Amino acid sequence: MSINTINKVELGVFPTPIHKLARLSAHLGGPQIYIKRDDLTGLALGGNKTRKLEYLLADAVAQGCDCVITAGAAQSNHCRQTAAGAAKLGLGCHLVLGGQAPNMANGNLLLDALFGAHIHWSGEKRKGEDIPKLVNELLSQGKKPYVVPYGGSNTIGAIGFIQAYSELMSQCESSHETLDFSDIVFASSSGATHCGLVLGQHIHKGKSNIIGINIDKDEMGKDSYKCQLQALIEQSAHTLAIDYQGSIDELHLIDDYIGQGYGVVGELEREAIALCAQYEGILLDPVYTGRAMGGLIDMIRRKQFSAHSNVLFWHTGGAPAVFAYASALQNV
Ligand SMILES: *Cc1c(COP(=O)(O)O)cnc(C)c1O
């Protein structure tokens, strides 16, 4: 497989802009912070999954599938973007969501329904454990389902972020003040974003530190996500014939900001959301970007970046979840 010959459908608007966060940077008194606006990818209120889905849904169409299945939490941004992409391409969409049906759908879940997705509630299991059963049901009904992995994270999804790194390089080269980022910071959770940026940087011989802020607890033991991420990178490099030899010890995955666990909003997220909103007019989300920006702000306060450097925060989307977290975000 070669990256440039892989099928793609256009679902978003690229390149996404890069903005300087002048007021927030001045407030924090550290490095100059820039932001890559993947909250503006253009598909159904945006987000990083659009990049992966351009390749994953193209694969579904190429395989002649008539519906897609994916999984996530009730407020999954991935599921919302998958539902929208499937609608655009005329594919059925089945979402296996953790938890139970609420009395009233809000945020991403409300949007899933507007895009016509079929929702299957799976209780405690929010990572697609029930997908094989659903595949069999759909096959027995004569359907041809395509399974989009949890978070859209496999080699095909990662291609979207290898290309995203190339997009960033073109923007840096063509900007009037040549941009050079010492660090690229983002929320890391199912892995294709992190994997794509690591491999993209390897291909372009870039020098930035690629720093993922881990969002979710390691439920399968210490470093289980890091091992899974390294495996995805190695698998993708192999499949795409990229000569990458990096070891797991070279990955920057920060585990310090998981707080009370996935989707639990604390003071870290509340402050980051409030600062970005009030200094920059930019919305972060309570689960991913609020936590990742909270981590970045903490690292800046701990003087982990040179005051002369440029740090890029990669906004991965998620703002529709804000409404579903209204009670946690009162009076920030
Ligand atoms: C899915 C998601 C992420 C994490 O990206 P992965 O590629 O799954 O690691 C980060 N931010 C938001 C808003 C997301 O929806």
Side-chain angles (χ1 to χ4, degrees):
M1 234 196 256
S2 148
I3 304 170
N4 296 313
T5 58
I6 288 169
N7 268 331
K8 173 180 171 179
V9 285
E10 224 171 84
L11 297 173
V13 184
F14 299 104
T16 56
I18 296 174
H19 293 144
K20 197 176 194 167
L21 300 186
R23 273 174 39 78
L24 180 65
S25 304
H27 173 73
L28 294 171
Q32 178 59 57
I33 311 169
Y34 288 77
I35 192 166
K36 175 80 169 142
R37 299 292 306 271
D38 272 13
D39 54 325
L40 302 180
T41 57
L43 177 70
L45 302 180
N48 63 339
K49 304 310 181 303
T50 306
R51 295 186 186 273
K52 310 179 189 184
L53 288 164
E54 288 197 330
Y55 293 92
L56 290 160
L57 296 186
D59 191 40
V61 171
Q63 291 189 26
C65 294
D66 53 16
C67 56
V68 299
I69 307 175
T70 199
Q75 284 300 323
S76 165
N77 303 298
H78 163 65
C79 289
R80 180 242 316 156
Q81 289 164 87
T82 303
K88 180 175 162 83
L89 299 174
L91 301 168
C93 180
H94 293 263
L95 301 176
V96 179
L97 302 182
Q100 272 116 40
N103 292 333
M104 170 107 74
N106 195 352
N108 285 300
L109 183 59
L110 172 67
L111 303 184
D112 295 342
L114 290 181
F115 293 123
H118 305 273
I119 312 273
H120 307 263
W121 292 100
S122 63
E124 300 278 288
K125 299 167 281 185
R126 66 177 160 91
K127 295 198 172 176
E129 293 87 338
D130 286 349
I131 285 181
K133 205 173 83 198
L134 182 57
V135 168
N136 286 332
E137 268 171 46
L138 289 168
L139 287 172
S140 72
Q141 293 164 19
K143 297 269 196 280
K144 203 159 177 235
Y146 180 92
V147 176
V148 175
Y150 178 73
S153 286
N154 60 11
T155 294
I156 297 177
I159 294 169
F161 265 88
I162 296 177
Q163 301 295 32
Y165 190 93
S166 302
E167 175 184 304
L168 174 68
M169 286 301 99
S170 316
Q171 287 175 299
C172 289
E173 281 157 18
S174 63
S175 78
H176 51 278
E177 38 172 349
T178 312
L179 276 176
D180 190 10
F181 297 113
S182 59
D183 304 85
I184 301 176
V185 178
F186 53 94
S188 183
S189 172
S190 72
T193 301
H194 204 146
C195 167
L197 293 178
V198 165
L199 291 179
Q201 158 132 300
H202 175 75
I203 292 168
H204 287 269
K205 302 188 168 58
K207 293 273 184 293
S208 317
N209 297 310
I210 305 288
I211 304 177
I213 307 287
N214 195 359
I215 296 303
D216 202 349
K217 277 197 182 120
D218 273 325
E219 274 160 13
M220 323 279 274
K222 186 170 161 25
D223 283 345
S224 59
Y225 171 54
K226 199 173 189 185
C227 295
Q228 202 184 311
L229 177 60
Q230 176 69 12
L232 177 62
I233 295 171
E234 286 174 11
Q235 172 67 53
S236 301
H238 176 75
T239 307
L240 301 169
I242 300 166
D243 176 29
Y244 174 82
Q245 307 289 344
S247 80
I248 190 165
D249 301 326
E250 292 164 51
L251 292 179
H252 299 285
L253 180 71
I254 313 274
D255 286 328
D256 298 343
Y257 303 108
I258 295 170
Q260 298 301 304
Y262 180 84
V264 183
V265 174
E267 213 29 64
L268 181 96
E269 293 81 15
R270 269 194 290 273
E271 188 201 16
I273 291 171
L275 285 179
C276 268
Q278 293 164 22
Y279 281 84
E280 298 292 345
I282 290 176
L283 289 174
L284 301 176
D285 82 283
V287 180
Y288 297 93
T289 53
R291 181 162 290 176
M293 179 59 92
L296 173 57
I297 290 170
D298 183 65
M299 291 190 283
I300 289 172
R301 287 178 176 151
R302 290 168 184 275
K303 308 254 182 283
Q304 293 188 12
F305 304 99
S306 148
H308 307 292
S309 63
N310 293 326
V311 173
L312 182 70
F313 180 77
W314 201 301
H315 192 325
T316 44
V322 158
F323 303 104
Y325 279 80
S327 61
L329 297 174
Q330 300 294 310
N331 312 315
V332 288

